[in-house]
Amino acid sequence: MNFEQNENQKMIAQMVRDFAEKEIRPNLNQWDADEYFPVETMKKMGELGLLGIYIPEQYGGSGFSYDEYATALMELGKVCGGIGLSVAAHNSLCTGHIYYHGSEEQKMKFLPKLSSGEFIGAWGLTEPNTGSDAMRMKTTAVKDGDDWIINGAKNWITHGLSGDVSVILVRTGELLDSKGITAFIIEKGMPGFSAVKIKDKLGVRASETAEMIFDNVRVPAENVIGEVGQGFVQAMQILDGGRISIAALSCGVARGAYEASVKYAKEREQFGKPIAQFQAIAFKLADMATEVEAAELLTFQAAFLKNNKMPMTKQGAFAKYFASEVAVKCGNEAVQVMGGYGYTKEYPAEKFLRDAKLMTIGEGTSEIQKVVISREILK
């Protein structure tokens, strides 16, 4: 296995670094304070090819692999976990679901606009009363002639308010029936569809989160993705790949916290010398560096399997579980290294810690990753 970045990865890493320094870093604290989702910045990333990064060129995408995708998210995570989360959700969930499971007509209709940033994408599985227990979803779709009528709500949905296109999972059969769930494409402006922004989040505040409400929303049959009843299977496959994106983003947040800690430890003096020269601090940095490297290796291992269309459920869960927990640990240690300054918004540590915590929850909690891993190793 080659551990060196390929030329495309190097190019994308530099492009994202340059973009993040110019467009994101100067604004991230204000976006965080205001819980502002910068749609215009997302669209600029679409122009750079970052919103359809692994979508083939025939559908308007960049045509890269998961290696380049993970690299881009790592670079974004080093600067702002919220913006990175939006890019991950747009690519892996909404755009990915249509690409992997949509019809040719659906791909041609939606993917070019999603890949270019003209459209922002959302994906809805979670509901107010069902998170990990998705089989008990209450949002339903009932056939009415050639259309479907959808009623219910989805919660904690990235871009649920601003999204132009949303892929939602809805119950079309009996409760707890894995073949009773279907994926639908919802287009902004459909009568009966509305959304409410969720405010006062701990972290990733530059990424929009919303509750989506469906009140007799009429959806044409042409907006069903794949076959009726195949939505749950599709969703589990999408989450497998999505976990790589959250792992990559976690690696970025963790590395950002680590690099900020190293910089601070070299500059901050106590007892007549930089605190990096004290073993208590140096050992913290050593632990952070080691775990970030390990998380990145797990992530690229999962990406390698995804690229080569090999089974990667276990490796994706390995990467997501470990990297997200490492991100929280590195954020926490960064605050500790910086002491009182780390507890203020003047320094980046507290934001890394706040952003990191979501990584252990979104797209499958750490506990769910353990369920996935244990099932895989005990087969």
Side-chain angles (χ1 to χ4, degrees):
M1 193 173 181
N2 187 350
F3 295 102
E4 293 184 3
Q5 285 190 333
N6 61 44
E7 290 304 313
N8 286 333
Q9 285 178 278
K10 293 176 182 177
M11 175 194 70
I12 286 176
Q14 188 60 56
M15 179 184 73
V16 174
R17 278 196 293 270
D18 292 343
F19 180 86
E21 290 302 321
K22 179 183 178 182
E23 302 285 346
I24 299 175
R25 193 179 296 280
N27 302 301
L28 61 86
N29 287 332
Q30 195 62 53
W31 293 342
D32 182 73
D34 296 341
E35 293 191 271
Y36 175 72
F37 172 51
V39 175
E40 66 281 1
T41 303
M42 282 287 287
K43 291 185 179 297
K44 288 180 181 179
M45 287 190 283
E47 293 171 4
L48 292 177
L50 296 175
L51 298 189
I53 198 163
Y54 61 82
I55 301 301
E57 293 180 10
Q58 71 187 89
Y59 301 121
S62 299
F64 290 120
S65 74
Y66 261 66
D67 292 333
E68 289 83 5
Y69 179 34
T71 298
L73 288 174
M74 288 177 182
E75 292 296 334
L76 286 171
K78 286 162 61 175
V79 179
C80 181
I83 299 301
L85 179 66
S86 280
V87 172
H90 175 97
N91 273 286
S92 291
L93 301 180
C94 178
T95 306
H97 200 134
I98 295 172
Y99 170 57
Y100 286 116
H101 299 289
S103 66
E104 190 63 23
E105 291 75 18
Q106 290 169 342
K107 293 177 186 179
M108 293 303 298
K109 180 178 180 180
F110 296 109
L111 292 182
K113 292 183 178 181
L114 286 165
S115 297
S116 69
E118 180 180 349
F119 281 179
I120 301 298
W123 190 81
L125 176 65
T126 301
E127 298 188 356
N129 295 308
T130 59
S132 299
D133 188 12
M135 291 289 291
R136 295 181 190 273
M137 67 173 60
K138 296 181 179 179
T139 302
T140 59
V142 178
K143 196 79 185 300
D144 182 34
D146 291 333
D147 299 334
W148 292 82
I149 307 298
I150 298 179
N151 283 284
K154 295 292 177 180
N155 209 20
W156 310 113
I157 308 306
T158 303
H159 309 151
L161 183 62
S162 296
D164 300 282
V165 176
S166 306
V167 174
I168 66 164
L169 285 303
V170 178
R171 187 158 58 81
T172 51
E174 296 300 317
L175 195 68
L176 300 180
D177 180 6
S178 63
K179 294 183 179 180
I181 295 172
T182 302
F184 290 85
I185 297 174
I186 304 297
E187 299 174 64
K188 195 171 186 177
M190 283 182 165
F193 168 54
S194 61
V196 179
K197 182 177 179 179
I198 295 173
K199 300 180 180 179
D200 297 324
K201 296 182 298 183
L202 174 69
V204 294
R205 291 161 63 92
S207 179
E208 178 188 275
T209 309
E211 179 177 11
M212 306 170 76
I213 301 163
F214 305 93
D215 182 10
N216 290 316
V217 178
R218 182 174 292 273
V219 182
E222 66 191 39
N223 282 30
V224 173
I225 300 179
E227 296 180 10
V228 172
Q230 291 299 305
F232 188 76
V233 173
Q234 294 172 9
M236 293 304 102
Q237 292 173 358
I238 292 302
L239 286 173
D240 269 357
R243 285 166 186 154
I244 299 175
S245 70
I246 299 301
L249 180 57
S250 298
C251 289
V253 173
R255 186 167 286 281
Y258 159 70
E259 290 179 354
S261 299
V262 170
K263 182 177 184 293
Y264 182 88
K266 288 180 176 179
E267 296 171 350
R268 172 69 166 171
E269 290 191 359
Q270 292 287 276
F271 306 101
K273 59 183 178 180
I275 63 173
Q277 295 183 21
F278 291 96
Q279 191 178 74
I281 301 300
F283 277 15
K284 286 183 183 295
L285 301 177
D287 284 341
M288 293 164 76
T290 302
E291 293 189 350
V292 171
E293 290 282 336
E296 289 177 352
L297 288 171
L298 280 173
T299 301
F300 281 117
Q301 179 193 41
F304 172 83
L305 295 175
K306 178 71 173 177
N307 289 337
N308 288 279
K309 300 180 180 178
M310 299 166 66
M312 43 71 63
T313 297
K314 180 174 66 176
Q315 284 75 15
F318 277 160
K320 199 274 185 185
Y321 168 50
F322 185 76
S324 64
E325 295 292 341
V326 166
V328 173
K329 181 176 179 179
C330 286
N332 190 54
E333 291 289 52
V335 172
Q336 196 70 16
V337 167
M338 297 182 194
Y341 291 111
Y343 207 64
T344 69
K345 294 184 183 297
E346 182 181 355
Y347 285 74
E350 62 86 30
K351 184 176 184 299
F352 282 125
L353 177 57
R354 289 188 291 108
D355 286 351
K357 188 56 199 167
L358 186 276
M359 309 306 159
T360 70
I361 300 170
E363 294 196 40
T365 63
S366 290
E367 290 73 22
I368 286 295
Q369 303 315 308
K370 292 182 184 181
V371 170
V372 173
I373 293 166
S374 61
R375 284 177 178 170
E376 289 292 313
I377 64 178
L378 295 173
K379 279 184 177 177

